Amino acid sequence: IHTYIHTYIHTYIQWGKKVVSQPSIAPPTVIMFPRQREMSSKVLRRQKRDWVIPPINVPENSRGPFPQMLVSIRSDQDRNISIRYSITGVGADQPPNEVFSIDPVAGKMFVTKPLDRERRSSYHLRAHAVNMNGERVESPIDLYIYVIDMNDNRPEFKNQVYNGSVDEGSKPGTFVMHLAAFDNDDNTTANGMVRYRILSQTPHSPIPNMFTINSETGDIVTVAAGLDREKVSQYSIIVQATDMEGNLNFGLSNTATAIISVTDINDNPPELTSRTFSGEVPENRVNVVVANLTVIDRDQPHSPNWNAVYRIISGDPIGHFTIITDQHTNDGMVTVVKPVDFEQNRAFMLTVVVNNQAPLASGIQSSLQSTSGVTISVVDINEPPYFPTNPKSIRFEEGVPAGTSLTTFSASDPDRFMQQSIRYSKLADPADWLSINNTNGQIITTATLDRESIYVKNNIYEATFLAVDNGSPMASGTGTLQIYLIDVNDNAPSLLPRESQICERINRNAGINITAADTDTDPNVGPFVFELPTFPASIRRNWTVSRLNGDYARLSLRTQYLEPGVYEVPVIVTDSGNPPLSNRSIIKVKVCPCDENGDCTLVGAVAAAGLGTGAIIAILICIIILLSMVLVFVLWMKRREKERQTKQLLIDPEDDVRDNILKYDEEGGGEEDQDYDLSQLQQPDSLEHIISKPPGVRRVDERPIIPESQYPIRPVVPHPGDIGDFINEGLRAADNDPTAPPYDSLLVFDYEGSGSTVGSVSSLNSSSTGDQDYDYLNDWGPRFKKLADMYGGGDDE
């Protein structure tokens, strides 16, 4: 049995003035399932399809009515059995669901809603045929549905405003900028083919059509010359994009604005506003603006085409002046960078040229007004005198006596055209060795010059002098005189150290190293000569000196043993000056017994100091006695402190006055109140007689010797509700405990006696009748001064 597939789909789309006619569709198309044939071996084998099923084309945005039938699907077995048809895939049983449906009995497939190609341009479905038992009777077939595009989308620009730029003076055909619009319709059809054109240009200067646009690419280029930023700095162009290949009758359109800025080029040279400028400057002044140059430039301000650069091309060979450009005004500020001298130049004639930071555009010539002359006048001022040689150095031998003329240290006045005089004075003379003539500057010594003075550094003595003219205002200058002092041999050498020690017995390595020192300099110092004097003879008999080098020598014992003690050993040292100078130096040498290491022992050092054995023992005994006294004093102080801490609370027995003095804590009582039993003041063995005693005076100021009361025991972790009970129980136990301190707080005086001769204090009153003299209160001392002021002497105010 052969399988026949008959399909016929014909769609026709006609556009006309945005009216879309529905495609004329032939009688319903029938799609047959392929048939399988049975082989002799009873094996089912799939038969190849005779025809390829073409796609189903459906126009988008169809107006219906819906559902709208697309095709009819059937199996040739439907003559024998009942068939049920179904479709699967995106748009059927997969999202978006129910876009397509099928009649399960008749096999007719429908579209249920309008399609949008911009959302989905095609669908892939599969058709199925099963019997009533759900068993497949045909193999699934593939259905491809394509959505036919319609012109339902306008071209869209990404931005509503585009910015571009072009240099002024550009030639025709110069690229300016690019615009692009996008159409969501199918760009393979006229629906998505966009074309561009310029609708308007603002302003119309110099002509209305300075630019054109490529209709297909959207590139904007210039079509005419004459762009001048100084006249028109910006153009605004309205660009229209239309689909349907630019067909204005059927296509959809949209617009955007292109802002074209005309960029500046250096086509205007800077021009100085005047042919000549002038200014003046005080002499010896720097960093002063002496003239201001103004310039005009029509290019864009604050750009390299506008910024001015000034140069001095003549009139200032040394470079006294420079021109700084003001960044805000573009003016040139002529500034002094090197001081000018009125006596050398009274005026300067400068030639100045101005240019831009950027070079001029091609074909632009410099202006004659870019060059001007600047006249700078120098103002004369009073300049201070100056010393031509400063500092001035001279050489003299030290020891020059007072009154010696050293040199003439004179200053010069730079103001040659002013008749002025100069006077001199001393500004700094640390040693006060010099004086200066106030009219001619002659330097004379007032004291002897000494090279070894603390004011001389590196053989040079410095003094500073002041020169003042009589101008208006007066000006002054300073000069330094340096005197190099040549050394003479005027200082004898000396020896170090002044004191030392040595062992009493001669030792091969024992000796005292001595050093010669001389405040003079070469050649008036070493090498030195060391020798011992011939008198007294014991010096050379006991001692010897040997030279180690030009500056050092060693003093050592000549005898095998020398008794310990302090010896004054004279040593004569002589320098190498011309003539040489000698000095007799005394070295105090302590001779002492030494240990095996050659070091003086302590006893030996003391003995060497001149103390005998008895004196040393006496000193040691005194030290021991002193230490013993200190120890006894410390022990006595500790014992006394301990007695104070253990003393009874009551006063000492010798100070006990309880038999005639009783301290009361409250007022009351009289002479008869002293009738009491002193036994009450003693500690009883028990409290039975006190507790059972009738009311009377009772005192307990020591802890009773009775068993202590039992206090409640606090639990380790008490309950919050038991805290109050615990506190109350402890309070009651403390109140009832006779052993609890304080022991002397209970003083009860319930009997004050009777028949007092003094009477009641309440019987005292103030009576206004009668006068009483209280002047005697003034004689009772300072304690009664207050009463005397209240009652004694004076009238009532």
Side-chain angles (χ1 to χ4, degrees), residues 426-619:
K426 187 169 61 174
L427 187 62
D429 183 12
D432 199 18
W433 287 345
L434 308 174
S435 66
I436 187 171
N437 189 293
N438 59 4
T439 57
N440 59 15
Q442 184 180 12
I443 306 296
I444 301 174
T445 61
T446 59
T448 302
L449 306 184
D450 185 6
R451 191 198 65 85
E452 288 73 33
S453 171
I454 60 174
Y455 302 107
V456 177
K457 308 297 182 183
N458 298 325
N459 301 328
I460 296 176
Y461 178 77
E462 286 189 354
T464 305
F465 300 92
L466 184 68
V468 182
D469 62 18
N470 60 348
S472 179
M474 293 188 298
S476 61
T478 59
T480 301
L481 179 64
Q482 294 181 340
I483 305 174
Y484 185 89
L485 296 176
I486 303 172
D487 183 45
V488 297
N489 194 18
D490 56 346
N491 293 280
S494 60
L495 292 178
L496 295 174
R498 299 289 185 180
E499 296 180 358
S500 186
Q501 61 184 15
I502 193 172
C503 295
E504 60 184 355
R505 298 187 180 277
I506 190 170
N507 191 339
R508 182 178 60 183
N509 297 324
I512 302 172
N513 293 331
I514 56 178
T515 304
D518 197 329
T519 56
D520 293 324
T521 59
D522 287 334
N524 299 318
V525 289
F528 298 94
V529 177
F530 304 87
E531 58 182 347
L532 296 176
T534 58
F535 182 83
S538 59
I539 299 299
R540 291 197 173 189
R541 183 175 61 250
N542 296 330
W543 304 92
T544 181
V545 61
S546 59
R547 177 174 155 180
L548 300 178
N549 56 28
D551 297 331
Y552 302 95
R554 173 171 291 182
L555 178 65
S556 57
L557 289 176
R558 180 182 293 273
T559 62
Q560 293 295 326
Y561 173 79
L562 187 63
E563 183 180 356
V566 178
Y567 297 84
E568 292 185 355
V569 181
V571 179
I572 299 174
V573 59
T574 306
D575 60 22
S576 299
N578 186 18
L581 293 180
S582 299
N583 182 29
R584 179 187 177 98
S585 298
I586 302 298
I587 301 177
K588 290 185 178 181
V589 181
K590 294 180 182 179
V591 180
C592 59
C594 296
D595 55 17
E596 62 276 6
N597 296 324
D599 299 327
C600 284
T601 60
L602 178 61
V603 177
V606 175
L611 297 178
T613 304
I616 295 174
I617 295 175
I619 292 175

Side-chain angles (χ1 to χ4, degrees), residues 168 229-230 263-270 295 297-310 325 327 330 354-361:
E168 62 175 332
R229 190 204 65 84
E230 286 72 36
T263 56
D264 183 49
I265 63 173
N266 195 11
D267 56 346
N268 294 282
V295 69
D297 195 321
R298 292 186 295 274
D299 289 321
Q300 185 176 359
H302 307 292
S303 69
N305 300 328
W306 178 81
N307 295 335
V309 178
Y310 299 87
T325 303
Q327 300 298 324
N330 217 23
V354 61
N355 300 106
N356 292 124
Q357 288 182 352
L360 291 175

Side-chain angles (χ1 to χ4, degrees), residues 36-175:
Q36 297 177 345
R37 73 171 53 173
E38 185 176 353
M39 305 300 293
S40 59
S41 61
K42 297 182 181 181
V43 177
L44 292 178
R45 185 178 181 183
R46 182 174 180 179
Q47 177 71 22
K48 293 183 179 180
R49 299 177 183 176
D50 294 336
W51 303 96
V52 177
I53 300 176
I56 303 171
N57 295 324
V58 181
E60 68 171 333
N61 301 325
S62 175
R63 297 182 181 179
F66 297 101
Q68 182 177 356
M69 181 178 173
L70 298 180
V71 293
S72 178
I73 301 174
R74 63 179 296 272
S75 171
D76 56 2
Q77 297 187 35
D78 60 356
R79 301 185 186 92
N80 302 323
I81 60 175
S82 297
I83 303 297
R84 292 294 181 266
Y85 302 97
S86 63
I87 55 175
T88 60
V90 176
D93 61 343
Q94 299 177 20
N97 301 78
E98 299 180 355
V99 176
F100 301 97
S101 64
I102 190 172
D103 188 334
V105 178
K108 295 180 181 180
M109 191 176 73
F110 301 91
V111 59
T112 62
K113 60 181 68 174
L115 302 181
D116 188 354
R117 191 200 67 84
E118 286 70 40
R119 291 187 177 180
R120 193 174 186 87
S121 61
S122 65
Y123 298 87
H124 178 203
L125 304 178
R126 303 198 76 184
H128 306 271
V130 298
N131 58 20
M132 298 301 294
N133 295 326
E135 299 175 349
R136 189 178 71 178
V137 298
E138 299 286 358
S139 297
I141 60 175
D142 294 322
L143 302 177
Y144 293 92
I145 302 173
Y146 292 104
V147 183
I148 301 175
D149 182 45
M150 299 179 65
N151 191 18
D152 58 344
N153 291 280
R154 295 178 179 274
E156 295 291 342
F157 288 96
K158 183 178 180 180
N159 301 314
Q160 284 299 311
V161 178
Y162 291 82
N163 293 293
S165 62
V166 62
D167 290 340
E168 62 175 332
S170 296
K171 297 179 180 180
T174 303
F175 174 80

